[in-house]
Coordinates of all heavy atoms in Angstrom, one line a residue:
M1 N 27.1 -2.9 -7.5 CA 26.6 -3.2 -6.1 C 25.4 -4.1 -6.3 O 24.5 -3.9 -7.1 CB 26.1 -1.8 -5.5 CG 25.3 -2.0 -4.3 SD 24.7 -0.5 -3.6 CE 25.9 -0.2 -2.2
S2 N 25.4 -5.1 -5.5 CA 24.3 -6.0 -5.5 C 23.4 -5.8 -4.4 O 23.8 -5.2 -3.4 CB 24.9 -7.5 -5.4 OG 25.5 -7.7 -4.2
F3 N 22.1 -6.1 -4.5 CA 21.2 -5.9 -3.5 C 21.0 -7.2 -2.7 O 20.4 -8.1 -3.1 CB 19.8 -5.5 -4.1 CG 19.9 -4.2 -4.7 CD1 20.2 -3.9 -6.0 CD2 19.7 -3.1 -3.9 CE1 20.2 -2.7 -6.6 CE2 19.7 -1.7 -4.4 CZ 20.0 -1.5 -5.7
T4 N 21.6 -7.2 -1.5 CA 21.7 -8.4 -0.7 C 20.2 -8.4 0.1 O 19.6 -7.3 0.3 CB 22.7 -8.4 0.3 OG1 22.5 -7.2 1.2 CG2 24.1 -8.3 -0.3
P5 N 19.8 -9.5 0.6 CA 18.7 -9.5 1.5 C 18.8 -8.6 2.7 O 17.7 -7.9 3.0 CB 18.5 -11.0 1.9 CG 19.2 -11.7 0.8 CD 20.4 -10.9 0.4
D6 N 19.9 -8.4 3.3 CA 20.0 -7.4 4.4 C 19.8 -6.1 4.0 O 19.2 -5.3 4.6 CB 21.5 -7.6 5.0 CG 21.6 -8.9 5.8 OD1 20.6 -9.6 6.0 OD2 22.8 -9.1 6.2
L7 N 20.4 -5.7 2.8 CA 20.2 -4.2 2.2 C 18.7 -4.1 1.9 O 18.1 -3.0 2.2 CB 21.0 -4.1 1.0 CG 20.9 -2.7 0.3 CD1 21.4 -1.6 1.4 CD2 21.9 -2.7 -0.8
I8 N 18.1 -5.0 1.3 CA 16.7 -4.9 1.0 C 15.8 -4.7 2.3 O 15.0 -3.9 2.4 CB 16.2 -6.1 0.1 CG1 16.8 -6.0 -1.3 CG2 14.6 -6.1 0.0 CD1 16.7 -7.2 -2.0
A9 N 16.1 -5.5 3.3 CA 15.4 -5.4 4.6 C 15.5 -3.9 5.2 O 14.7 -3.3 5.7 CB 15.8 -6.4 5.6
E10 N 16.9 -3.5 5.1 CA 17.1 -2.0 5.6 C 16.3 -1.0 4.8 O 15.7 -0.2 5.5 CB 18.6 -1.9 5.5 CG 19.4 -2.6 6.7 CD 20.9 -2.4 6.5 OE1 21.3 -1.5 5.9 OE2 21.7 -3.3 6.9
L11 N 16.3 -1.2 3.5 CA 15.5 -0.2 2.7 C 13.9 -0.4 3.1 O 13.2 0.7 3.2 CB 15.7 -0.6 1.2 CG 17.1 -0.2 0.7 CD1 17.1 -0.8 -0.7 CD2 17.3 1.2 0.6
E12 N 13.5 -1.6 3.3 CA 12.1 -1.8 3.7 C 11.8 -1.1 5.1 O 10.8 -0.5 5.2 CB 11.8 -3.2 3.9 CG 11.7 -3.9 2.5 CD 11.5 -5.4 2.6 OE1 11.5 -6.0 3.8 OE2 11.1 -6.0 1.6
V13 N 12.7 -1.2 6.0 CA 12.6 -0.5 7.3 C 12.5 1.0 7.0 O 11.7 1.8 7.6 CB 13.7 -0.9 8.4 CG1 13.5 0.0 9.5 CG2 13.4 -2.4 8.7
L14 N 13.5 1.6 6.3 CA 13.5 3.0 6.1 C 12.3 3.5 5.4 O 11.8 4.7 5.7 CB 14.7 3.3 5.2 CG 16.1 3.3 5.9 CD1 17.2 3.4 4.9 CD2 16.3 4.3 7.0
A15 N 11.6 2.7 4.5 CA 10.5 3.0 3.8 C 9.2 3.1 4.7 O 8.3 3.8 4.4 CB 10.2 2.1 2.7
L16 N 9.4 2.7 5.9 CA 8.3 2.7 6.9 C 8.2 4.1 7.6 O 7.2 4.5 8.1 CB 8.5 1.6 8.1 CG 8.4 0.2 7.6 CD1 8.8 -0.7 8.8 CD2 7.0 -0.2 7.1
F17 N 9.3 4.9 7.5 CA 9.3 6.1 8.1 C 8.7 7.2 7.2 O 8.7 7.1 6.0 CB 10.8 6.7 8.4 CG 11.5 5.9 9.6 CD1 12.1 4.8 9.4 CD2 11.3 6.4 10.9 CE1 12.8 4.2 10.4 CE2 12.0 5.9 12.0 CZ 12.7 4.8 11.8
K18 N 8.0 8.1 7.8 CA 7.4 9.4 7.2 C 8.6 10.3 7.0 O 9.1 10.8 8.0 CB 6.3 9.9 7.8 CG 5.1 9.0 7.9 CD 3.9 9.7 8.4 CE 2.7 8.8 8.4 NZ 1.5 9.4 8.8
H19 N 9.0 10.6 5.7 CA 10.1 11.5 5.6 C 9.8 13.0 5.9 O 10.6 13.8 6.0 CB 10.6 11.4 4.2 CG 9.9 12.0 3.1 ND1 8.7 11.4 2.6 CD2 10.1 13.1 2.4 CE1 8.2 12.1 1.7 NE2 9.0 13.2 1.5
D20 N 8.5 13.3 5.9 CA 8.1 14.7 6.1 C 7.8 15.1 7.5 O 7.2 16.0 7.9 CB 6.9 15.0 5.2 CG 5.7 14.0 5.5 OD1 5.8 13.1 6.2 OD2 4.7 14.4 4.8
S21 N 8.1 14.2 8.5 CA 7.9 14.4 9.9 C 9.1 14.0 10.7 O 9.4 12.8 10.7 CB 6.6 13.7 10.4 OG 6.4 13.9 11.8
S22 N 9.6 14.8 11.6 CA 10.5 14.4 12.6 C 10.0 14.0 13.8 O 10.6 13.7 14.9 CB 11.6 15.5 12.8 OG 10.9 16.6 13.2
Q23 N 8.6 14.2 14.0 CA 7.8 14.0 15.2 C 7.3 12.5 15.3 O 6.8 12.1 16.4 CB 6.7 14.9 15.3 CG 7.1 16.4 15.3 CD 8.0 16.8 16.5 OE1 7.7 16.3 17.6 NE2 9.0 17.3 16.2
E24 N 7.5 11.7 14.2 CA 7.0 10.4 14.2 C 8.1 9.4 14.1 O 8.9 9.4 13.1 CB 6.0 10.1 13.0 CG 4.7 11.0 13.2 CD 3.7 10.7 12.2 OE1 3.4 9.5 11.9 OE2 3.1 11.7 11.7
G25 N 8.1 8.4 14.9 CA 9.1 7.4 14.7 C 8.3 6.1 14.5 O 7.2 6.0 14.2
I26 N 9.2 5.0 14.5 CA 8.5 3.7 14.4 C 9.1 2.7 15.4 O 10.0 3.0 16.1 CB 8.8 3.0 12.9 CG1 10.3 2.7 12.8 CG2 8.3 3.9 11.8 CD1 10.6 1.9 11.6
K27 N 8.3 1.6 15.6 CA 8.8 0.6 16.5 C 8.7 -0.7 15.8 O 7.6 -1.2 15.3 CB 7.8 0.6 17.7 CG 7.9 -0.6 18.7 CD 9.0 -0.4 19.7 CE 8.9 -1.6 20.7 NZ 10.1 -1.7 21.4
I28 N 9.8 -1.4 15.8 CA 9.9 -2.8 15.1 C 9.8 -3.7 16.4 O 10.6 -3.8 17.2 CB 11.2 -3.1 14.4 CG1 11.4 -2.0 13.2 CG2 11.2 -4.4 13.7 CD1 10.3 -2.1 12.1
H29 N 8.7 -4.4 16.5 CA 8.5 -5.3 17.7 C 9.2 -6.6 17.4 O 9.6 -7.0 16.4 CB 7.0 -5.5 17.9 CG 6.1 -4.4 18.2 ND1 6.0 -3.9 19.4 CD2 5.5 -3.6 17.4 CE1 5.3 -2.9 19.4 NE2 4.9 -2.6 18.1
N30 N 9.6 -7.2 18.6 CA 10.4 -8.4 18.5 C 9.7 -9.6 17.9 O 10.3 -10.5 17.7 CB 11.0 -8.7 20.0 CG 9.9 -9.0 21.0 OD1 8.7 -9.0 20.6 ND2 10.3 -9.2 22.2
N31 N 8.4 -9.4 17.7 CA 7.7 -10.6 17.0 C 7.7 -10.3 15.5 O 6.9 -11.1 14.8 CB 6.4 -10.8 17.6 CG 5.4 -9.6 17.6 OD1 5.8 -8.5 17.2 ND2 4.1 -9.9 17.8
A32 N 8.3 -9.2 15.0 CA 8.3 -8.9 13.6 C 9.2 -9.9 13.0 O 10.0 -10.7 13.7 CB 8.8 -7.6 13.3
S33 N 9.3 -10.0 11.7 CA 10.2 -11.0 11.0 C 11.6 -10.7 11.5 O 12.1 -9.5 11.7 CB 10.1 -10.8 9.5 OG 10.9 -9.8 9.1
P34 N 12.3 -11.8 11.7 CA 13.8 -11.6 12.1 C 14.6 -10.8 11.2 O 15.5 -10.0 11.7 CB 14.4 -13.1 12.1 CG 13.1 -13.9 12.2 CD 11.9 -13.2 11.6
A35 N 14.3 -10.7 10.0 CA 15.1 -9.9 9.0 C 14.7 -8.4 9.3 O 15.7 -7.6 9.3 CB 14.6 -10.2 7.5
L36 N 13.6 -8.0 9.6 CA 13.3 -6.6 9.8 C 13.8 -6.3 11.2 O 14.4 -5.1 11.4 CB 11.7 -6.3 9.9 CG 11.1 -6.4 8.5 CD1 9.6 -6.1 8.6 CD2 11.9 -5.4 7.5
V37 N 13.8 -7.2 12.3 CA 14.3 -6.8 13.5 C 15.9 -6.6 13.4 O 16.4 -5.6 13.9 CB 14.1 -8.0 14.6 CG1 14.9 -7.8 15.9 CG2 12.5 -8.1 14.8
A38 N 16.6 -7.5 12.7 CA 17.9 -7.3 12.4 C 18.2 -6.0 11.6 O 19.2 -5.4 11.9 CB 18.5 -8.6 11.7
A39 N 17.4 -5.7 10.6 CA 17.6 -4.5 9.8 C 17.6 -3.3 10.6 O 18.4 -2.4 10.6 CB 16.7 -4.5 8.6
A40 N 16.6 -3.2 11.6 CA 16.3 -2.0 12.4 C 17.7 -1.8 13.4 O 18.2 -0.8 13.5 CB 15.2 -2.2 13.2
Q41 N 18.2 -3.0 13.8 CA 19.5 -3.0 14.6 C 20.6 -2.5 13.8 O 21.4 -1.6 14.3 CB 19.7 -4.4 15.2 CG 21.1 -4.4 15.9 CD 21.0 -3.7 17.3 OE1 20.1 -3.8 18.0 NE2 22.1 -3.1 17.5
R42 N 20.7 -2.9 12.6 CA 21.9 -2.4 11.7 C 21.7 -0.9 11.4 O 22.7 -0.2 11.4 CB 22.0 -3.2 10.4 CG 22.5 -4.6 10.7 CD 22.8 -5.4 9.3 NE 21.6 -5.4 8.4 CZ 20.7 -6.2 8.4 NH1 20.7 -7.2 9.3 NH2 19.7 -6.2 7.5
L43 N 20.4 -0.5 11.1 CA 20.3 1.0 10.9 C 20.8 1.8 12.2 O 21.3 2.9 12.0 CB 18.8 1.2 10.5 CG 18.5 0.6 9.1 CD1 17.0 0.9 9.0 CD2 19.2 1.3 8.0
H44 N 20.5 1.3 13.3 CA 20.8 2.0 14.5 C 22.4 2.0 14.6 O 22.9 3.0 14.9 CB 20.2 1.3 15.8 CG 20.6 1.9 17.1 ND1 20.3 3.1 17.5 CD2 21.4 1.4 18.0 CE1 20.9 3.4 18.6 NE2 21.5 2.4 19.0
E45 N 23.0 0.9 14.3 CA 24.4 0.8 14.4 C 25.2 1.7 13.3 O 26.2 2.2 13.6 CB 24.8 -0.6 14.2 CG 24.6 -1.6 15.3 CD 24.6 -3.1 15.1 OE1 25.1 -3.4 13.9 OE2 24.3 -3.8 15.8
K46 N 24.4 2.0 12.3 CA 24.9 2.9 11.2 C 24.7 4.4 11.5 O 25.0 5.2 10.8 CB 24.3 2.5 9.9 CG 24.8 1.1 9.4 CD 24.1 0.7 8.1 CE 24.6 -0.7 7.6 NZ 24.0 -1.1 6.4
G47 N 23.9 4.6 12.6 CA 23.6 6.0 13.0 C 22.4 6.6 12.3 O 22.3 7.8 12.2
L48 N 21.6 5.7 11.7 CA 20.4 6.3 11.1 C 19.2 6.5 12.0 O 18.3 7.3 11.7 CB 20.1 5.4 9.8 CG 20.8 5.7 8.6 CD1 22.3 5.3 8.7 CD2 20.2 5.2 7.4
T49 N 19.2 5.7 13.1 CA 18.0 5.8 14.0 C 18.5 5.9 15.3 O 19.7 5.6 15.7 CB 17.1 4.6 14.0 OG1 17.9 3.4 14.3 CG2 16.5 4.5 12.6
D50 N 17.7 6.4 16.3 CA 18.2 6.7 17.7 C 17.9 5.4 18.6 O 18.4 5.5 19.8 CB 17.6 7.9 18.3 CG 16.1 7.8 18.6 OD1 15.5 6.9 18.1 OD2 15.6 8.7 19.3
Q51 N 17.2 4.4 18.1 CA 17.0 3.3 18.9 C 17.3 2.0 18.1 O 17.0 2.0 16.9 CB 15.5 3.2 19.5 CG 15.2 4.4 20.3 CD 15.9 4.3 21.7 OE1 16.0 3.2 22.2 NE2 16.4 5.5 22.1
P52 N 17.6 0.9 18.7 CA 17.9 -0.4 17.9 C 16.5 -1.0 17.4 O 16.6 -1.8 16.4 CB 18.6 -1.2 18.9 CG 18.5 -0.7 20.2 CD 18.1 0.7 20.1
D53 N 15.4 -0.6 17.9 CA 14.2 -1.2 17.4 C 13.3 -0.1 16.6 O 12.1 -0.2 16.4 CB 13.3 -1.6 18.5 CG 12.9 -0.6 19.6 OD1 13.5 0.5 19.4 OD2 12.1 -0.9 20.5
G54 N 14.1 0.8 16.0 CA 13.4 1.9 15.2 C 13.7 3.2 15.8 O 14.6 3.8 15.7
G55 N 12.6 3.6 16.6 CA 12.8 5.0 17.2 C 12.6 6.1 16.2 O 11.8 6.0 15.4
Y56 N 13.4 7.1 16.5 CA 13.3 8.3 15.5 C 14.6 8.3 14.7 O 15.5 7.7 14.9 CB 13.2 9.6 16.3 CG 12.1 9.7 17.2 CD1 12.0 9.3 18.5 CD2 10.9 10.2 16.5 CE1 10.8 9.3 19.3 CE2 9.7 10.3 17.3 CZ 9.6 9.9 18.7 OH 8.5 9.9 19.4
L57 N 14.3 9.1 13.5 CA 15.6 9.1 12.6 C 16.5 10.2 13.1 O 16.1 11.2 13.7 CB 15.0 9.6 11.3 CG 14.2 8.6 10.5 CD1 13.4 9.4 9.3 CD2 14.9 7.5 10.0
T58 N 17.7 9.9 12.8 CA 18.8 10.9 13.1 C 18.8 11.8 11.8 O 18.1 11.6 10.9 CB 20.1 10.3 13.2 OG1 20.5 9.5 12.0 CG2 20.2 9.2 14.4
S59 N 19.6 12.9 11.7 CA 19.8 13.6 10.7 C 20.2 12.8 9.4 O 19.7 13.0 8.2 CB 20.9 14.7 10.9 OG 21.1 15.5 9.8
L60 N 21.2 11.9 9.5 CA 21.6 11.0 8.5 C 20.4 10.1 8.1 O 20.1 9.8 6.9 CB 22.7 10.2 8.9 CG 23.3 9.2 7.9 CD1 23.8 9.9 6.7 CD2 24.4 8.4 8.6
G61 N 19.6 9.8 9.0 CA 18.4 8.8 8.7 C 17.4 9.6 7.9 O 16.8 9.1 7.0
H62 N 17.2 10.9 8.2 CA 16.2 11.7 7.5 C 16.7 11.8 5.9 O 16.0 11.7 5.0 CB 16.1 13.1 8.0 CG 15.2 13.2 9.1 ND1 13.9 13.2 9.0 CD2 15.4 13.3 10.5 CE1 13.2 13.1 10.2 NE2 14.3 13.3 11.1
D63 N 18.1 12.0 5.8 CA 18.6 12.0 4.5 C 18.3 10.7 3.7 O 18.0 10.6 2.5 CB 20.1 12.4 4.4 CG 20.3 13.8 4.9 OD1 19.4 14.6 4.9 OD2 21.5 14.0 5.2
A64 N 18.6 9.5 4.4 CA 18.3 8.3 3.8 C 17.0 8.0 3.4 O 16.6 7.5 2.3 CB 18.9 7.1 4.8
V65 N 16.0 8.4 4.3 CA 14.6 8.2 4.1 C 14.2 9.0 2.9 O 13.3 8.6 2.0 CB 13.8 8.4 5.3 CG1 12.2 8.5 5.0 CG2 14.0 7.3 6.3
E66 N 14.7 10.3 2.8 CA 14.3 11.1 1.7 C 14.7 10.5 0.4 O 14.0 10.5 -0.6 CB 14.9 12.4 1.9 CG 14.5 13.4 0.8 CD 15.1 14.9 1.2 OE1 15.0 15.3 2.3 OE2 15.5 15.5 0.2
S67 N 15.9 9.9 0.4 CA 16.4 9.2 -0.8 C 15.5 8.1 -1.2 O 15.4 7.8 -2.4 CB 17.9 8.9 -0.7 OG 18.6 10.1 -0.6
V68 N 15.3 7.2 -0.1 CA 14.4 6.0 -0.4 C 13.1 6.3 -1.0 O 12.6 5.8 -2.0 CB 14.3 5.2 0.9 CG1 13.3 4.1 0.7 CG2 15.6 4.6 1.3
Q69 N 12.5 7.4 -0.4 CA 11.1 7.8 -0.9 C 11.2 8.4 -2.3 O 10.3 8.2 -3.2 CB 10.5 8.9 0.0 CG 10.2 8.4 1.4 CD 9.2 7.2 1.5 OE1 8.3 7.1 0.5 NE2 9.1 6.3 2.3
L70 N 12.3 9.1 -2.6 CA 12.4 9.7 -3.9 C 12.5 8.5 -4.9 O 11.9 8.5 -6.0 CB 13.6 10.5 -4.1 CG 14.0 11.2 -5.4 CD1 12.8 12.0 -5.9 CD2 15.3 11.9 -5.3
L71 N 13.4 7.5 -4.6 CA 13.5 6.4 -5.5 C 12.3 5.6 -5.7 O 12.0 5.3 -6.8 CB 14.6 5.5 -5.0 CG 14.9 4.3 -5.8 CD1 15.4 4.6 -7.1 CD2 16.0 3.4 -5.1
L72 N 11.6 5.4 -4.6 CA 10.3 4.7 -4.7 C 9.2 5.5 -5.5 O 8.5 4.8 -6.3 CB 9.7 4.4 -3.3 CG 10.3 3.4 -2.4 CD1 9.8 3.3 -1.1 CD2 10.2 2.0 -3.0
N73 N 9.3 6.7 -5.4 CA 8.3 7.5 -6.3 C 8.7 7.5 -7.7 O 7.9 7.4 -8.6 CB 8.3 9.0 -5.8 CG 7.5 9.2 -4.4 OD1 6.8 8.4 -4.1 ND2 7.8 10.2 -3.9
I74 N 9.9 7.4 -8.0 CA 10.4 7.4 -9.4 C 10.1 6.0 -10.0 O 9.5 5.9 -11.1 CB 11.9 7.6 -9.5 CG1 12.2 9.1 -9.2 CG2 12.5 7.2 -10.8 CD1 13.8 9.3 -9.1
L75 N 10.3 4.9 -9.2 CA 10.0 3.6 -9.6 C 8.5 3.3 -9.8 O 8.2 2.5 -10.6 CB 10.7 2.6 -8.9 CG 12.2 2.6 -8.8 CD1 12.8 1.7 -7.8 CD2 12.8 2.3 -10.3
K76 N 7.6 4.0 -8.9 CA 6.3 3.7 -9.0 C 5.6 4.6 -10.1 O 4.4 4.3 -10.4 CB 5.7 3.9 -7.7 CG 6.0 2.8 -6.6 CD 5.4 3.2 -5.3 CE 5.7 2.1 -4.2 NZ 5.2 2.4 -2.9
A77 N 6.2 5.6 -10.5 CA 5.6 6.5 -11.5 C 5.2 5.8 -12.8 O 6.0 5.0 -13.2 CB 6.5 7.6 -11.8
P78 N 4.1 6.1 -13.3 CA 3.6 5.5 -14.6 C 4.7 5.9 -15.7 O 5.1 7.0 -15.7 CB 2.3 6.2 -14.9 CG 1.9 7.0 -13.7 CD 3.1 7.0 -12.9
Q79 N 5.1 4.9 -16.4 CA 6.0 5.2 -17.6 C 5.3 5.6 -18.8 O 4.3 5.0 -19.2 CB 6.9 3.9 -17.8 CG 7.6 3.4 -16.6 CD 8.6 4.4 -16.1 OE1 9.4 5.0 -16.9 NE2 8.6 4.7 -14.8
P80 N 5.8 6.6 -19.6 CA 5.1 7.0 -20.8 C 5.4 5.9 -21.8 O 6.3 5.2 -21.9 CB 5.8 8.3 -21.2 CG 7.1 8.3 -20.4 CD 6.9 7.5 -19.2
A81 N 4.3 5.9 -22.7 CA 4.4 4.9 -23.8 C 5.4 5.2 -24.8 O 5.9 6.1 -25.1 CB 3.0 4.6 -24.5

């Protein structure tokens, strides 16, 4: 699987969500980068968010954000010598 610019943008949008709260959503404004605006729309079309400009996560979206956060934590962890 290759990481396309679209996929990376979707991961960036998912990383904006707090995975430990279902009470907080996000808003991607129309003056944000076109890549992020389009990524938010695609995530909505895939059923991960309830609004095309972000909004709140669906159940599937919560699972995706949890996975993204786990991966980011693993990749950011200091590596033993």
Side-chain angles (χ1 to χ4, degrees):
M1 169 186 259
S2 64
F3 291 93
T4 64
D6 285 352
L7 180 58
I8 292 170
E10 289 174 19
L11 291 169
E12 288 176 350
V13 171
L14 287 172
L16 296 173
F17 284 93
K18 292 186 177 184
H19 75 284
D20 56 352
S21 174
S22 60
Q23 302 295 317
E24 292 184 50
I26 65 166
K27 168 83 171 162
I28 304 293
H29 295 276
N30 58 5
N31 64 346
S33 77
L36 289 182
V37 171
Q41 175 68 41
R42 287 191 304 276
L43 292 173
H44 175 67
E45 291 167 1
K46 293 176 182 180
L48 278 72
T49 62
D50 70 345
Q51 298 292 318
D53 60 354
Y56 294 95
L57 293 167
T58 63
S59 178
L60 180 60
H62 279 284
D63 292 343
V65 167
E66 186 175 317
S67 295
V68 167
Q69 292 297 332
L70 177 61
L71 180 59
L72 288 172
N73 288 338
I74 290 169
L75 294 176
K76 289 180 180 179
Q79 300 299 314

